[in-house]
Amino acid sequence: MTGGDDELAAELEALLGRRHPVAAAAVVDGGGATTASIGAGLDADFEIGSISKGVTGLLYADAIERGEVTAATPLGDLLPLADAPVGGVTLGALSTHRSGLPSLPPSAQPWRRTVALWRHGTNPYGEDLGQLLDQARGARLGRPRPRYSNLGFELLGHALASAAGTTYAGLLHDRITVPLGLERCYVPAAPEALRSEALTGVNRRGRRQEPWTGEALAPAGGIRAAIGDMATLTGALLDGTAPGIAALDPVAPFSMGYRIGAAWITVETRRRTVTWHNGGTGGFRTWMGLDREAGRGVVVLSATAAAVDSHGFELLAA
C-alpha cells in the first residue's frame, strides 16, 4: 500500500529499505508540500517522539512573546515545586537542556522500565501530572551543562500550560493545532484516547510495542500526528508563520559542534545549515529537518524503531 505522491513514495521505499515497511514522508519547498506513505494511508498517525520537544520549544518562545514567562522564570513560580531543588531551575535552562536534571528521575526506576520495554514492549511512561511532580521533587540537580533531559522538557511544557491557565493538551490545541489547521495532531493521555487511524509501532525485531501515552510525557515525547499535519507545520516553520518561530534560532552551544535553540538543533552539514530534531519511542523513529536558507524542509516518520536520521538528511539534501 502506498499513498500520496507516487514518485516520493518510491523514493521513500528505496531510501528506507525493508527495515521500514510502514512509513511516511513530506518534502516542503517553494513548490508547496509533497507527501507520501508506504504501508499505511496518509491519514495514519505516528508517534513523533522527541520532535514533541521541538513543538514545546515553539510554545515556550510563543509564551515569551506573549509576556507570560521569561527565560529567567523559575519552575517554582508556575508549578508547586518551590520547596524542591528543581523549583529554582529556570525555563531558559530547561529549553536548552542546561537544567542539571537527569534524563529521568531515579524515583521513576528508569532501568526497570527499560528492561520491561526490551522484554515486553511496555510503555515506560504513562504518569499523570501529579505523579510527575512527585518524581521531580526528589530529583537531584547536577552541574548545569548540556545534558539531554526528558524530565526537563516534561516540566517545561506543563509549566507553560500553567502560565496560560490550561493543560498541555489545551495549550497545544489552542496555540499550535488550531492556528495552523492541524487536524490529526494530538496528545493521548491513555491508549483509549488513540484515534482509529493510530498506528501500532514495532521494535527492530518486528515485535509490537505498546503506545507511549501519558499526560506527563506529552511535552517531551507524547504527540502523535499524521504526515499531512507535519508537512503543514514544516511549511509554517519555513515561512515564519508558526507560533514561537524564534525557538529555531540557536542561542547556545550543545554537543558535537551543534548549537541549540529552544530544543531545536542547528548543524552545518554539506555546506548547508540544517535545523532539526529527531524522535524515538518503543515502536517509532522520526526526523524533521529544515534548510531555512533554501526554504526546504523534510519529515520522515517510521512505525519501526530503527533510525531514520541519515535518511532524513539525505532527502533534505536531494
Side-chain angles (χ1 to χ4, degrees):
M1 175 194 297
T2 61
D5 184 80
D6 290 339
E7 185 176 343
L8 179 57
E11 185 177 5
L12 179 64
E13 198 164 14
L15 190 65
L16 296 182
R18 295 182 180 179
R19 298 186 72 188
H20 298 275
V22 180
V27 176
V28 183
D29 55 26
T34 303
T35 59
S37 63
I38 54 176
L42 289 175
D43 288 344
D45 71 62
F46 295 71
E47 294 176 359
I48 68 169
S50 285
I51 295 178
S52 304
K53 294 182 178 69
V55 176
T56 297
L58 299 177
L59 291 169
Y60 164 72
D62 181 62
I64 290 178
E65 292 171 12
R66 292 170 180 265
E68 293 173 343
V69 302
T70 72
T73 300
L75 270 178
D77 283 3
L78 301 172
L79 296 173
L81 296 170
D83 58 344
V86 70
V89 173
T90 66
L91 302 190
L94 293 169
S95 73
T96 56
H97 291 295
R98 278 173 166 74
S99 64
L101 286 168
S103 179
L104 291 172
S107 60
Q109 300 180 310
W111 174 244
R112 179 178 295 181
R113 295 184 187 209
T114 300
V115 171
L117 172 64
W118 288 345
R119 290 182 175 176
H120 309 295
T122 54
N123 175 14
Y125 294 91
E127 292 91 348
D128 61 25
L129 179 55
Q131 291 169 320
L132 172 67
L133 295 176
D134 286 342
Q135 293 173 355
R137 290 186 185 100
R140 294 183 178 180
L141 298 180
R143 192 161 53 88
R145 57 181 175 81
R147 184 183 185 186
Y148 195 85
S149 176
N150 288 306
L151 172 61
F153 261 82
E154 287 177 334
L155 293 171
L156 174 61
H158 292 294
L160 296 172
S162 176
T166 186
T167 63
Y168 183 82
L171 192 68
L172 176 70
H173 177 268
D174 294 345
R175 297 188 178 178
I176 299 290
T177 64
V178 169
L180 295 182
L182 310 184
E183 298 179 353
R184 300 176 181 86
C185 177
Y186 65 114
V187 281
E192 53 266 26
L194 294 172
R195 295 171 59 245
S196 60
E197 295 87 355
L199 294 170
T200 297
V202 299
N203 65 14
R204 285 177 289 183
R205 298 185 300 276
R207 179 181 296 177
R208 291 164 63 94
Q209 304 289 287
E210 286 185 356
W212 282 23
T213 59
E215 179 189 21
L217 172 66
I223 297 176
R224 296 187 71 113
I227 191 61
D229 282 344
M230 296 301 291
T232 299
L233 175 59
T234 301
L237 293 174
L238 289 172
D239 67 20
T241 59
I245 194 70
L248 301 180
D249 299 331
V251 297
F254 197 47
S255 62
M256 299 173 61
Y258 299 160
R259 290 181 59 78
I260 189 169
W264 293 92
I265 303 297
T266 296
V267 63
E268 302 292 331
T269 178
R270 299 186 184 183
R271 298 184 179 179
R272 294 171 179 257
T273 301
V274 177
T275 304
W276 65 282
H277 211 293
N278 61 4
T281 64
F284 294 82
R285 289 294 184 272
T286 60
W287 189 87
M288 181 175 184
L290 310 167
D291 181 338
R292 300 172 72 187
E293 184 177 353
R296 180 178 171 87
V298 162
V299 182
V300 178
L301 309 176
S302 174
T304 303
V308 296
D309 293 37
S310 61
H311 310 88
F313 275 106
E314 184 172 344
L315 195 57
L316 183 64

